[in-house]
Amino acid sequence: MANKLISQMGLPKAIANIFAARNIVTAKDALSLTEFELMELLDVGLAEVTTAVAHISEMACPPYQTALSLMEERVRKECLSGHLPTRLKGLDIALCGGIPFGTLTELVGPAGIGKTQFCLKLSLLAALPASYGGLNGHVIYIDTESKFSSRRLIEIGVKSFPEIFHVAGMAQEMAGRIVVLQPSSLAEFTERIWIIGKRPYQQFLNLQQIKLSILQHQVKLLIIDSMAALVSGENERDFRAPRQHSLGWHISSIKSLAEFSRIPVVVTNQVRTRSSDESHQYPFQVQNKEESMKDDGRVESHLVAALGIFWAHAVTIRLVLEANLGQRFIKVAKSPLSPPLAFPFVVTSSGISLLSDDGIEVMGPEICAIHCQGHSDIIDFKQERLP
């Protein structure tokens, strides 16, 4: 706006010509001078200068927005985009509908806590026909740790949606909509997405063509399980301090992909041991050093999300899956809309199930802490070990 030309602002021709003659061409040129400096330079009266400056300021300033207009804009965007319901009632209510389109949603937690189980269920929900509440689309599932199980996927489908999966051929159709890729690095990950729907000999990567491929093939969900494994595969020398410039480029690409295609992007993240001089809080949550030290003694957790603060700021929603004294919880640790809530859950043959739809409000740094107490393997209600 500062470089907007004065000649295009609709000033009276006489005063506009004087500005041009004195080589005051842009709004920045005019507004960088005081009214008295302009009077001396333009050789005009104070009233004319004041009127001209007010007009230039009005034309150069971006239009203001009220809280009401911002709310209406958000409603319009949500109507155009939407959410992928998780079918976990309490969590969907907290997230105002489920996993939002066009943003990055992260699942972080220790190994075996249920992150992949969550992702498998989301894949089925995205592939289900719209008449059953699904997105009736395809899914790209990036499996970096070889944890994807087609047998487990079908089991979740049969237990959760028997009316669909007991129909002849429907299990094969649903499973056929989920494309599983197993890249070993970030670079290979982007190349493999590019190859979807293309001839194998084409090797060049173009982000616009990736977006076009996703749109053409009705991809409705992208899952990366896990992002931390991709980064560690590319930079094995220091897992806790990945190459930030490389990670930053790929974060930007993934976020751009989500925003352009208006699809939900879900990534899982691993945990690592927190060093003795490292806080489990975000910088804005620490009021002073003494408070941070006191909180560290109160929260019995030594785990933090991998990839660091740089990555944490990139995701829109962070869901922490943890085990505390033998009970599993899903915590809404970061969300622009939801309060910090925790939901107890179990993993059954039909996937993740909440024990209560009433979330427990979690205060202070505890919402970002990651516990792993009394947690071993995935057990269902009948105490049967899952395959």
Side-chain angles (χ1 to χ4, degrees), residues 283-355:
F284 60 81
Q285 292 177 306
V286 179
Q287 311 233 333
N288 54 59
K289 189 174 294 184
E290 290 75 16
E291 179 182 341
S292 179
M293 293 175 62
K294 182 173 67 175
D295 288 338
D296 282 347
R298 184 172 65 250
V299 179
E300 299 176 1
S301 175
H302 301 284
L303 299 177
V304 294
L307 304 181
I309 293 295
F310 185 81
W311 167 258
H313 286 307
V315 300
T316 303
I317 293 175
R318 167 174 280 184
L319 302 179
V320 171
L321 282 72
E322 66 170 14
N324 197 355
L325 300 177
Q327 176 63 65
R328 298 167 192 259
F329 292 92
I330 299 177
K331 299 193 299 190
V332 184
K334 180 184 179 183
S335 169
L337 299 176
S338 172
L341 298 174
F343 298 89
F345 76 94
V346 292
V347 181
T348 71
S349 57
S350 61
I352 285 180
S353 298
L354 298 185
L355 294 178

Side-chain angles (χ1 to χ4, degrees), residues 216-232:
Q216 287 177 337
H217 293 82
Q218 292 296 301
V219 174
K220 297 298 180 66
L221 174 64
L222 170 63
I223 291 177
I224 306 174
D225 185 17
S226 73
M227 189 69 186
L230 276 180
V231 174
S232 62

